[in-house]
Amino acid sequence: MFESPQTPSRFDELTLNHVELYVTDLATARTAFADQYGGHHLADHESADGAHRSTALGIGRTVLVLTQGLSADHPASLFVRARGDGVADLALRTDRVREAHASALAHGARDRGAPVEENGAIRATIQVFGDVRHTFVTPPPGTEGHWVPGFGSLPSSPGSTTGLTGADHFAVCLDAGSLDEVVRFYRTALGFERTFSERIVVGSQAMDSHVVQNTARDVTLTLLEPDITAAPGQIDRFLKDNDGSGIQHVAFATEDIVRATAVLRERGVEFLSTPGAYYDRLTERITLERHGLAELRAAHVLADEDHGGQLFQIFTRSTHPHNTLFYEVVERCGATTFGSGNIKALYEAVETGQSADRPR
């Protein structure tokens, strides 16, 4: 499926500016992303009122901002008390902040910050699902490279030491009954395109999925909704443990997933394991081109293909206290969407990992 925006896109220039996570302890989170995922320290910032402090890290082309609330009523403090550490803001860069903000509100988004101009920069914030926000950002005129509110211009991040090249997509778990509404919002308010749809049935469980992307293809949201008429599964558990909709995982891209996973394991990242039977059947449905069966089996990497080519992916074991947020590593070899085999494999892999983690 490929569906263009329901109205002509007025925001073709809209791109990912940065990803912000609210964290309980900034030093701990910064060390984890730096030591395990190879995040390169770019800058630090503390608000003038002492309400929060943040660190900006570079993972490939993506700027990751980690923020700890220092006052009880700061949004970061409220977020982590309710949900623990998590993705709180997918900030979007656009030359037309005011127009984007107005369009979002007109199509049902909640206002979390009217447009503000300061030193030539403009920002505004909305909320679409759960406690996750989009901050629209226009940097000061003449700004080149990364610019983040509070930090200003950031230095370029050097080459990755782990092989991660930046964010590939964000998986969003939505409350039952809200999927169509959220898809409609991104298409009509921000001009995203729906590029894939899928219904996944795994045993007695089921969920529906739509993928929406911006024109630049650097913001990809995999939107997931549980089927409440089926048995509860991982999406239902996330919604319960997260107290509602939110970002379940962030996928990082790599150009060599076998090498990247080996480096990440050496740095202490734990991945979900895949049953051997998966690899016994793999070559019956795919003629592997980039990686051999033996190295995929040894690395526990999943493989699938679509009309454009093949993709390989693996999921980390969640270290979150609520067993919610986790990460993915994905290598695309021509594949541009999410084949049904891999979406089902994602669901089954997470089911296997979370079942093993639950007390017996």
Coordinates of all heavy atoms in Angstrom, one line a residue, residues 103-138:
S103 N -1.7 24.0 11.7 CA -2.3 22.9 11.0 C -2.5 21.7 11.9 O -3.5 21.0 11.9 CB -1.4 22.5 9.8 OG -1.9 21.3 9.1
A104 N -1.5 21.5 12.8 CA -1.6 20.4 13.8 C -2.8 20.6 14.7 O -3.6 19.7 14.9 CB -0.3 20.3 14.5
L105 N -3.0 21.8 15.2 CA -4.1 22.1 16.1 C -5.4 22.0 15.4 O -6.4 21.5 16.0 CB -3.9 23.5 16.8 CG -2.7 23.7 17.7 CD1 -2.8 25.1 18.3 CD2 -2.5 22.6 18.7
A106 N -5.5 22.4 14.2 CA -6.7 22.3 13.4 C -7.1 20.9 13.2 O -8.3 20.6 12.9 CB -6.5 23.1 12.1
H107 N -6.2 20.0 13.2 CA -6.5 18.6 12.9 C -6.5 17.7 14.2 O -6.4 16.5 14.1 CB -5.5 18.0 11.9 CG -5.8 18.5 10.5 ND1 -5.2 19.7 10.1 CD2 -6.6 18.1 9.5 CE1 -5.6 19.9 8.8 NE2 -6.4 19.0 8.5
G108 N -6.6 18.4 15.4 CA -6.8 17.6 16.6 C -5.7 17.5 17.6 O -5.8 16.9 18.6
A109 N -4.5 18.0 17.2 CA -3.3 17.9 18.2 C -3.6 18.8 19.4 O -4.3 19.8 19.3 CB -2.0 18.3 17.5
R110 N -3.0 18.4 20.5 CA -3.0 19.2 21.7 C -1.9 20.2 21.7 O -0.8 19.9 21.4 CB -3.0 18.4 22.9 CG -4.3 17.6 23.2 CD -4.1 16.4 24.1 NE -3.4 15.3 23.4 CZ -3.0 14.2 24.0 NH1 -3.2 14.0 25.3 NH2 -2.4 13.2 23.3
D111 N -2.2 21.4 22.1 CA -1.2 22.5 22.2 C -0.3 22.4 23.4 O -0.8 22.4 24.5 CB -1.9 23.9 22.1 CG -0.9 25.0 22.0 OD1 0.3 24.8 21.8 OD2 -1.3 26.2 22.0
R112 N 1.0 22.2 23.2 CA 1.9 22.2 24.4 C 3.0 23.3 24.3 O 4.0 23.2 25.0 CB 2.6 20.8 24.4 CG 1.7 19.6 24.8 CD 1.1 19.8 26.2 NE 0.2 18.7 26.6 CZ -1.1 18.8 26.5 NH1 -1.7 19.9 26.1 NH2 -1.9 17.8 26.9
G113 N 2.7 24.3 23.5 CA 3.6 25.4 23.4 C 3.4 26.2 22.2 O 3.7 25.8 21.1
A114 N 2.8 27.4 22.3 CA 2.5 28.3 21.2 C 3.9 28.7 20.6 O 4.9 28.7 21.2 CB 1.7 29.5 21.6
P115 N 3.8 29.1 19.3 CA 5.1 29.6 18.7 C 5.8 30.7 19.4 O 5.1 31.7 19.9 CB 4.6 30.1 17.3 CG 3.4 29.3 17.0 CD 2.7 29.1 18.4
V116 N 7.1 30.5 19.6 CA 7.9 31.5 20.3 C 9.1 31.8 19.5 O 9.8 30.9 19.0 CB 8.4 31.0 21.7 CG1 9.4 32.0 22.4 CG2 7.2 30.7 22.6
E117 N 9.4 33.1 19.3 CA 10.6 33.5 18.5 C 11.6 34.1 19.5 O 11.3 35.0 20.3 CB 10.2 34.5 17.4 CG 11.4 34.9 16.5 CD 10.9 35.7 15.3 OE1 9.7 35.8 15.1 OE2 11.8 36.1 14.5
E118 N 12.9 33.7 19.3 CA 13.9 34.2 20.2 C 15.3 34.1 19.4 O 15.7 33.1 18.9 CB 14.0 33.3 21.5 CG 15.1 33.8 22.5 CD 15.1 32.9 23.7 OE1 14.3 32.0 23.8 OE2 15.9 33.3 24.6
N119 N 15.9 35.3 19.3 CA 17.2 35.4 18.6 C 17.1 34.8 17.2 O 18.1 34.2 16.7 CB 18.3 34.7 19.4 CG 18.5 35.3 20.7 OD1 18.4 36.6 20.9 ND2 18.8 34.5 21.7
G120 N 16.0 35.0 16.5 CA 15.8 34.5 15.1 C 15.3 33.1 15.0 O 15.0 32.7 13.9
A121 N 15.3 32.3 16.1 CA 14.8 31.0 16.1 C 13.3 30.9 16.5 O 12.9 31.8 17.3 CB 15.6 30.1 17.0
I122 N 12.6 30.0 15.9 CA 11.2 29.8 16.3 C 10.9 28.4 16.7 O 11.5 27.5 16.0 CB 10.3 30.2 15.1 CG1 10.7 31.6 14.5 CG2 8.8 30.2 15.5 CD1 9.9 32.0 13.2
R123 N 10.1 28.2 17.7 CA 9.7 26.8 18.1 C 8.3 26.8 18.6 O 7.8 27.9 19.0 CB 10.7 26.3 19.2 CG 10.5 27.0 20.5 CD 11.5 26.4 21.5 NE 11.3 26.9 22.9 CZ 11.8 28.0 23.3 NH1 12.5 28.8 22.5 NH2 11.5 28.4 24.6
A124 N 7.7 25.7 18.5 CA 6.3 25.5 19.0 C 6.2 24.0 19.2 O 6.9 23.2 18.6 CB 5.3 26.0 18.0
T125 N 5.3 23.6 20.1 CA 5.2 22.2 20.5 C 3.7 21.7 20.5 O 2.8 22.4 21.0 CB 5.8 21.9 21.9 OG1 7.1 22.4 21.9 CG2 5.8 20.5 22.3
I126 N 3.5 20.5 20.0 CA 2.2 19.8 20.0 C 2.3 18.4 20.6 O 3.4 17.9 20.8 CB 1.6 19.7 18.6 CG1 2.5 18.8 17.7 CG2 1.4 21.1 18.0 CD1 1.9 18.3 16.5
Q127 N 1.2 17.8 20.9 CA 1.1 16.5 21.4 C 0.1 15.7 20.6 O -1.0 16.2 20.4 CB 0.8 16.5 22.9 CG 0.9 15.2 23.6 CD 0.8 15.4 25.1 OE1 1.2 16.4 25.7 NE2 0.1 14.4 25.8
V128 N 0.4 14.5 20.1 CA -0.5 13.8 19.3 C -1.0 12.5 19.9 O -2.2 12.2 19.9 CB 0.2 13.4 17.9 CG1 -0.8 12.7 17.0 CG2 0.7 14.7 17.2
F129 N -0.1 11.7 20.5 CA -0.4 10.5 21.2 C 0.3 10.3 22.5 O 1.5 10.7 22.6 CB -0.2 9.2 20.3 CG 1.3 9.2 19.8 CD1 2.3 8.6 20.6 CD2 1.6 9.7 18.6 CE1 3.6 8.5 20.1 CE2 2.9 9.6 18.1 CZ 3.9 9.0 18.9
G130 N -0.4 9.8 23.5 CA 0.3 9.6 24.8 C 0.9 10.9 25.3 O 0.3 12.0 25.2
D131 N 2.1 10.8 25.9 CA 2.8 12.0 26.3 C 3.9 12.4 25.4 O 4.8 13.2 25.7 CB 3.4 11.7 27.7 CG 2.5 12.2 28.8 OD1 1.4 12.7 28.5 OD2 2.8 11.9 30.0
V132 N 3.9 11.9 24.2 CA 4.9 12.1 23.2 C 4.6 13.4 22.4 O 3.5 13.6 22.0 CB 5.1 11.0 22.2 CG1 6.2 11.3 21.2 CG2 5.5 9.7 23.0
R133 N 5.6 14.2 22.3 CA 5.4 15.6 21.6 C 6.2 15.7 20.3 O 7.1 14.9 20.1 CB 5.9 16.7 22.6 CG 5.2 16.6 23.9 CD 5.7 17.7 24.9 NE 4.9 17.7 26.2 CZ 4.9 18.6 27.0 NH1 5.6 19.8 26.8 NH2 4.2 18.5 28.1
H134 N 5.8 16.6 19.5 CA 6.6 17.1 18.4 C 6.9 18.6 18.6 O 5.9 19.4 18.8 CB 5.8 17.0 17.1 CG 5.6 15.6 16.6 ND1 6.7 14.7 16.5 CD2 4.5 14.9 16.2 CE1 6.2 13.5 16.1 NE2 4.9 13.6 15.9
T135 N 8.1 18.9 18.7 CA 8.5 20.4 18.8 C 8.9 20.8 17.4 O 9.9 20.2 16.8 CB 9.7 20.6 19.8 OG1 9.2 20.3 21.1 CG2 10.1 22.1 19.7
F136 N 8.2 21.7 16.8 CA 8.6 22.3 15.5 C 9.7 23.3 15.7 O 9.6 24.2 16.6 CB 7.4 22.9 14.8 CG 6.3 22.0 14.6 CD1 5.0 22.2 15.2 CD2 6.4 20.9 13.7 CE1 4.0 21.3 15.0 CE2 5.4 20.1 13.4 CZ 4.1 20.3 14.1
V137 N 10.7 23.3 14.9 CA 11.9 24.1 15.1 C 12.3 24.8 13.8 O 12.5 24.1 12.8 CB 13.1 23.3 15.7 CG1 14.4 24.1 15.8 CG2 12.8 22.6 17.0
T138 N 12.5 26.1 13.9 CA 13.2 26.8 12.8 C 14.5 27.4 13.4 O 14.4 28.3 14.3 CB 12.3 27.9 12.2 OG1 11.2 27.4 11.6 CG2 13.1 28.7 11.1

